[in-house]
Amino acid sequence: MIDYRRAGLLPDRPHTAFRKPDGGLYYEHCFTRHGFDGPFSIVYHAEPPQFHGEGAAIPAAFPANVKAGAPDALRRRHLRSPGLAAHGTPLTGRVPLLFNADLTLGVVRPTASDAVCFANADGDDLFYIHAGSGELRSWFGRLRFGPGDYVLVPRAVSHRFELDAGPQHWFWTECRSALRVPVQYRNPIGQLRMDAPYTHRDFRVPELSGAIDPDGPRELLVKRGDRWSRHVYRHGPLEAVGWDGTVYPFAFPILAFKPKAGQIHLPPTVHGTFATARSLVCSFVPRVVDFGRDAIPCPYPHSNVEVDEVIFYAEGDFTSRKGVDRGSLSYHPAGVVHGPQPGRYESSLGVREVNELAVMIDTFDTLELTDAALGVDVAGYDESWWETT
Ligand SMILES: [Fe+2]
């Protein structure tokens, strides 16, 4: 999804006999997107990846997007995700908070490693690791991650998370259209441009040496169209000896994003990090802010009339918000004006740098709140703009 990578053992040519030391065949596995027309990787397995059975329908491993009752008012919302109880695994602990046809946004606060493998055929899963660390194990190898990392698991990649000790708190987005690098960051041959806010070297990919998940489970859960099924392999599904291509999990540290500053305020699009067909993921990182005479560093009140905005606040102090804390989310629906809270616009004059760290998702399709979101909704946020200080 970023560039071409390769790891481990590969034959010289695809679709040819590739032999093990004992003379047997390795099994080629073509992993393709957009039918056979899009980005692809080829993985080489010691065991046939299609040798599974007992496919059976099962209950959902985590709650679907549930919205009971009438649609909610178009209020500006403050959701305190630390109020959601830590529970489950990276798979079962997912709590959807906001959703539309393109995205589900939620939080995961797992307390245990995944006990089964998972392949999400409904979309690419992007995690922002607010707290915690561990290892993503997949066909592509082992990928370490820690606080401040984005972690991408492409659609339908079989994987599981093995967690380190300690609290985990992740912001999660299921992207049902593909997650990609914004097109304006690529040059005509696909390389990241000199003026892109990150480089190819900033992306970490799985390491493949030795067994990936030697004592791992043989069960694989698959979600497609929000239908869940369980499949049993005769061997552990997370094994491979080599792969190459452009589709693979990656980790990207948010602090590798190189922010731009302007003489006067630049629109949030300059913080664009990843895109889907209908949304933009932005990274707000510590930076120098607008340096021109009389520049107002605080974001202007705005009516971005086609876009719902969600921000996950990770660290630091936001120039435009008060009352939000680590792990807070704000939701500002299109159709109602939003902007700095009372006093913030004026007090930002003269500010030269900000130390905020946050992830924003702007989406063209209207989001709805789940019942779980309403359970951590902070009363009075929409009225906080009435305050005089
Ligand atoms: Fe905004």
Side-chain angles (χ1 to χ4, degrees), residues 27-345:
Y27 298 90
E28 186 181 73
H29 174 191
C30 293
F31 190 79
T32 69
R33 296 175 70 115
H34 302 294
F36 291 91
D37 296 336
F40 67 92
S41 289
I42 302 178
V43 186
Y44 292 88
H45 300 278
E47 302 285 347
Q50 73 276 27
F51 280 15
H52 54 78
E54 298 184 16
I58 59 168
F62 59 81
N65 299 325
V66 175
K67 174 73 193 79
D72 291 301
L74 294 174
R75 292 171 58 87
R76 292 160 294 189
R77 303 276 183 174
H78 172 191
L79 311 176
R80 275 197 197 281
S81 76
L84 298 163
H87 72 284
T89 68
L91 171 61
T92 65
R94 299 178 196 201
V95 181
L97 296 174
L98 297 130
F99 64 96
N100 59 28
D102 186 40
L103 300 176
T104 294
L105 309 177
V107 163
V108 199
R109 304 186 65 201
T111 56
S113 299
D114 282 324
V116 294
C117 300
F118 177 48
N120 188 354
D122 279 332
D124 296 329
D125 279 322
L126 179 70
F127 301 91
Y128 172 74
I129 310 299
H130 176 50
S133 60
E135 191 170 77
L136 171 67
R137 298 180 179 178
S138 73
W139 291 320
F140 298 86
R142 296 183 175 199
L143 178 63
R144 292 286 313 166
F145 61 87
D149 280 337
Y150 288 103
V151 176
L152 177 77
V153 183
R155 178 194 297 265
V157 167
S158 295
H159 68 282
R160 72 178 189 90
F161 287 96
E162 187 73 27
L163 303 181
D164 295 341
Q168 308 274 344
H169 193 154
W170 307 353
F171 178 43
W172 158 61
T173 305
E174 181 186 270
C175 309
R176 286 183 281 280
S177 58
L179 190 88
R180 56 177 170 76
V181 168
V183 292
Q184 65 269 27
Y185 296 162
R186 303 259 195 200
N187 66 25
I189 65 162
Q191 187 179 25
L192 292 171
R193 290 169 51 96
M194 295 286 286
D195 57 358
Y198 42 71
T199 75
H200 291 276
R201 301 178 199 173
D202 293 323
F203 291 84
R204 308 197 309 275
V205 302
E207 294 182 4
L208 184 56
S209 60
I212 297 168
D213 197 27
D215 300 315
R218 293 192 300 128
E219 289 177 81
L220 171 70
L221 305 192
V222 179
K223 180 168 86 79
R224 170 70 166 165
D226 285 327
R227 290 183 303 167
W228 288 79
S229 60
R230 173 181 179 271
H231 308 262
V232 179
Y233 273 80
R234 72 177 192 185
H235 53 81
L238 304 185
E239 61 82 19
V241 297
W243 60 269
D244 76 338
T246 59
V247 182
Y248 44 78
F250 67 70
F252 172 79
I254 193 171
L255 291 176
F257 186 88
K258 296 157 188 68
K260 291 182 169 62
Q263 190 188 58
I264 55 174
H265 200 72
L266 298 172
T269 38
V270 301
H271 306 288
T273 308
F274 305 115
T276 74
R278 304 285 296 162
S279 73
L280 182 68
V281 180
C282 297
S283 302
F284 293 115
V285 300
R287 63 192 181 280
V288 170
V289 291
D290 324 321
F291 48 83
R293 180 173 56 85
D294 290 338
I296 299 176
C298 194
Y300 28 71
H302 49 286
S303 296
N304 189 354
V305 298
E306 292 151 335
V307 170
D308 281 13
E309 172 200 284
V310 174
I311 299 179
F312 181 89
Y313 301 86
E315 304 284 351
D317 181 30
F318 255 71
T319 53
S320 61
R321 296 276 177 277
K322 58 184 178 183
V324 299
D325 205 352
R326 295 178 80 247
S328 289
L329 289 95
S330 64
Y331 164 54
H332 294 167
V336 294
V337 182
H338 70 264
Q341 286 175 306
R344 293 294 167 125
Y345 193 64

Side-chain angles (χ1 to χ4, degrees), residues 356-372:
E356 66 195 20
L357 189 65
V359 176
M360 181 176 82
I361 299 186
D362 274 352
T363 173
F364 281 97
D365 298 323
T366 302
L367 290 161
E368 289 191 67
L369 295 118
T370 65
D371 293 343

